[in-house]
Amino acid sequence: MFAGQEIGGKGKKESQLPMKMVGVSRCFRAEAGARGADTRGLYRVHEFTKVELFGWAMPDSPGEDTTSKAKPAANGKSEGGAVTATTLFDDILALQTEILTALNLPCRVLEMPAHDLGASAARKQDIEVLFPSRMASSNSSSSTENATTSNVTSNNDIDVESGWGEVTSASICTDYQTRRLGTRLKSDAGGGAGKFPHTVNGTAMAVPRIIAALLEHGWDAKKGVVVLPEVLRTWMGGRGVIGGKEEG
């Protein structure tokens, strides 16, 4: 996107950054379920849909610590008047966690070490959701023996740590992508070679994994139904549960 172009069209200025876009992508992988029982089912499939988040922003100031929370001015912008990549990164992470929290899914954010980063990412954070079915029994040496309880509270028989699974992530890619695409922006100062904006990529939702988490956390074994989060009921025709008979 924007290959060989100036962001937003000719004449656009840095102060008009960031640019934000959302896209739906179809993804494919060959090794679905090949890594063991903890990746079978909806967690790791051959073909799936993701909602992707893309952003273009000004580079962070030289020497700025991008591994800590950004501290922008009161208006959320840098001195040049544009939001920096780190600030946009924090905004995307806040949106991702807001979505998961609204769905009543327990989640945690992990800062990924350098050896886990791909070629394009200068910084990456993963967001994991707790899957009860992935919780291994602490009394069993087999990694394939999972807990089936819908209660996510730790006890002597359940290893909660094994239940966390990645559902989304966000990355700062600096100018890795824009240099290769030839995407530039005009400098407010004018003249000289155009600067390369920095990009921030994130996943709003990996659909199958979110569905799996909703089924697990919403499962009511006594009634034999899946209870839907309040935020989804408008989109489900007002239904509060899936399966069985709704009361009232």
Side-chain angles (χ1 to χ4, degrees):
M1 186 176 292
F2 301 127
Q5 300 179 34
E6 291 179 347
I7 285 185
K10 189 174 182 179
K12 293 293 184 181
K13 300 294 186 180
E14 294 171 355
S15 59
Q16 293 175 297
L17 293 177
M19 291 185 64
K20 304 176 185 178
M21 289 193 176
V22 177
V24 177
S25 67
R26 294 294 291 168
C27 306
F28 305 87
R29 64 162 61 95
E31 78 289 4
R35 298 189 179 182
D38 61 338
T39 61
R40 65 189 173 190
L42 285 173
Y43 189 81
R44 194 172 187 87
V45 293
H46 284 296
E47 179 180 351
F48 57 100
T49 300
K50 291 199 298 183
V51 180
E52 303 281 13
L53 305 172
F54 302 93
W56 294 260
M58 283 296 295
D60 294 292
S61 301
E64 181 176 349
D65 181 7
T66 61
T67 62
S68 60
K69 274 285 187 180
K71 297 180 180 179
N75 60 1
K77 297 182 178 181
S78 64
E79 289 184 7
V83 171
T84 65
T86 296
T87 302
L88 181 57
F89 178 76
D90 291 334
D91 289 345
I92 286 179
L93 281 169
L95 175 60
Q96 291 169 317
T97 54
E98 180 183 348
I99 291 171
L100 296 174
T101 301
L103 294 173
N104 299 330
L105 298 177
C107 62
R108 67 179 184 181
V109 180
L110 302 179
E111 185 77 42
M112 304 310 292
H115 64 265
D116 280 343
L117 300 181
S120 63
R123 182 188 178 194
K124 179 186 176 188
Q125 287 191 348
D126 283 356
I127 302 179
E128 297 183 334
V129 161
L130 193 61
F131 289 84
S133 67
R134 291 165 60 90
M135 294 183 196
S137 170
S138 59
N139 296 325
S140 172
S141 59
S142 172
S143 62
T144 61
E145 184 177 342
N146 295 326
T148 57
T149 178
S150 61
N151 185 358
V152 299
T153 303
S154 176
N155 55 47
N156 293 332
D157 299 322
I158 301 299
D159 176 18
V160 175
E161 189 65 24
S162 65
W164 293 101
E166 179 202 347
V167 295
T168 184
S169 64
S171 302
I172 297 179
C173 298
T174 63
D175 60 359
Y176 184 95
Q177 295 168 326
T178 53
R179 281 183 179 274
R180 283 154 180 76
L181 289 171
T183 303
R184 297 175 180 269
L185 51 86
K186 279 194 172 182
S187 171
D188 283 335
K195 294 180 180 179
F196 294 101
H198 283 192
T199 57
V200 180
N201 306 159
T203 304
M205 183 177 296
V207 177
R209 292 187 180 183
I210 296 299
I211 291 176
L214 290 173
L215 291 174
E216 291 194 24
H217 285 278
W219 175 243
D220 185 328
K222 292 182 178 179
K223 296 182 179 180
V225 299
V226 175
V227 180
L228 295 171
E230 188 70 34
V231 71
L232 291 183
R233 296 181 183 181
T234 299
W235 309 102
M236 296 294 292
R239 297 185 62 181
V241 300
I242 297 175
K245 293 183 179 180
E246 293 190 63
E247 297 181 2

